[in-house]
Amino acid sequence: MLCERLGHVVAETAAPYRPDDVARTSGVLMGADLVAQIDARLALLGRPLADDDIEPFTRVLYDTNRALPAADVSRALRRAQEIGWRVGAAFAAYDVLLTPTLAWPTPRLGVLDTADPESVYRHASVYSAFTSVHNVTGTPAMSVPFGHDSAGLPLGVQFAAPLGGEGTLLAPAAQLERAAPWGSPPGL
């Protein structure tokens, strides 16, 4: 593995969270924030939402989450904190967590088309199982291009660090870029 050849100790560990739990939690929090952001923008503009202001999928999320009960948001905030504690505890044993960026191979064109909200609902959280946890917990993470799959589609790896550890992420990404410039065959 390239990371080991670069001097890193690599160990496998189980994810400290359940992706479905993260998806539910992030759905509530992102939905509530989406409504707040759109409403703030509309207040600035002094007008109601027009049909062509946002993409169809964003409109579905906006309409769905406008009536989100405050108790649901409060529960999601508590759950995000609990997930964050578990993710944070993983950094007691590891400086950096390394995962694929996507949990599944690159989706075929149209699978995540925001003009088809149902398709996005069905597939988005499956693909983002490794990335969304960092959006929910606030832990820094970065995706780094790393080669291509057998169909020639791009692959990425994700590095994550504990809260405040943004600087920790830059060193391994820079090492990878020097050792395997973007576009070269993977070999982590």
Side-chain angles (χ1 to χ4, degrees):
M1 280 186 18
L2 180 57
C3 287
E4 290 172 324
R5 288 195 313 266
L6 293 172
H8 300 280
V9 175
V10 178
E12 193 170 321
T13 187
Y17 61 90
R18 287 188 7 246
D20 61 323
D21 189 20
V22 171
R24 276 191 307 278
T25 301
S26 68
V28 170
L29 296 177
M30 290 173 67
D33 187 60
L34 174 84
V35 170
Q37 295 294 324
I38 290 174
D39 286 349
R41 180 67 179 153
L42 293 173
L44 262 172
L45 296 173
R47 65 172 178 79
L49 184 64
D51 287 340
D52 64 345
D53 280 341
I54 54 180
E55 294 179 326
F57 181 66
T58 304
R59 182 61 187 245
V60 168
L61 291 176
Y62 178 77
D63 291 342
T64 301
N65 288 289
R66 285 187 68 198
L68 192 62
D72 288 357
V73 176
S74 178
R75 279 189 287 275
L77 285 168
R78 271 196 320 277
R79 191 70 193 125
Q81 187 176 43
E82 292 165 1
I83 294 166
W85 289 332
R86 282 203 305 270
V87 170
F91 292 110
Y94 305 101
D95 297 331
V96 173
L97 297 178
L98 173 66
T99 67
T101 299
L102 296 179
W104 290 93
T106 304
R108 70 183 191 286
L109 191 60
V111 168
L112 299 176
D113 181 356
T114 59
D116 182 2
E118 286 305 313
S119 182
V120 177
Y121 264 125
R122 280 192 314 275
H123 302 291
S125 65
V126 172
Y127 284 100
S128 66
F130 294 120
T131 56
S132 61
V133 68
H134 303 293
N135 293 330
V136 167
T137 62
T139 50
M142 64 187 291
S143 177
V144 177
F146 200 74
H148 297 85
D149 66 13
S150 60
L153 296 172
L155 295 173
V157 294
Q158 175 182 248
F159 292 98
L163 288 173
E166 287 83 356
T168 304
L169 297 177
L170 298 175
Q175 280 185 313
L176 280 183
E177 185 177 15
R178 282 190 302 274
W182 308 150
S184 63
L188 266 178

